Amino acid sequence: MAIIRFNQWKEFLDELAAERPPDGVVRLTFSLRYDGRGEPHLTLVAGYLLGDTIRECVEYLGLQPTDPKSQRAQEIEQRFRERKTLLEVQGYTVKAGRFHVPPSHR
């Protein structure tokens, strides 16, 4: 099962603090999805495993900046660094990537 919080970082942190993953690992990554017109939309995804449940926070960041040196691109990178640092300060091991729900065999 997967529990996903959309744009609810504080709620995600509260749940993480209430039920720490046994291995202490939180995954943090960007995800890129394309809309029907081929426009790239960026999200920041944080997640952890708790038993057989994946808990994630997905933050929508908008269209991917075309210039990696633009102010918006720098703001996005800063948000990533802040999230990562906060998790590490709280004692979590932050790894790249995300968890995926295994296919159901019903």
Side-chain angles (χ1 to χ4, degrees):
M1 174 171 46
I3 297 173
I4 301 172
R5 303 285 177 230
F6 293 100
N7 300 315
Q8 298 293 322
W9 178 248
K10 172 124 176 47
E11 186 175 326
F12 174 79
L13 289 178
D14 291 345
E15 290 174 351
L16 181 59
E19 293 187 276
R20 184 179 180 90
D23 61 2
V25 172
V26 177
R27 297 210 174 255
L28 185 64
T29 193
F30 290 110
S31 180
L32 194 59
R33 301 278 189 241
Y34 292 87
D35 64 17
R37 295 174 301 187
E39 297 287 332
H41 293 261
L42 193 61
T43 57
L44 180 59
V45 182
Y48 62 97
L49 280 176
L50 192 59
D52 63 350
T53 301
I54 299 169
R55 294 183 182 245
E56 286 187 331
C57 179
V58 178
E59 292 183 83
Y60 178 69
L61 302 174
L63 288 172
Q64 181 183 27
T66 55
D67 178 3
K69 295 184 184 209
S70 70
Q71 180 178 348
R72 181 63 183 145
Q74 291 174 15
E75 290 169 358
I76 289 169
E77 186 60 35
Q78 179 66 28
R79 178 177 293 199
F80 180 88
R81 285 193 303 269
E82 288 171 356
R83 300 284 196 248
K84 184 175 189 243
T85 300
L86 176 67
L87 292 165
E88 289 173 337
V89 165
Q90 293 180 3
Y92 299 102
T93 301
V94 179
K95 293 186 177 182
R98 68 185 289 189
F99 297 103
H100 295 280
V101 178
S104 177
H105 298 286
R106 290 184 181 183

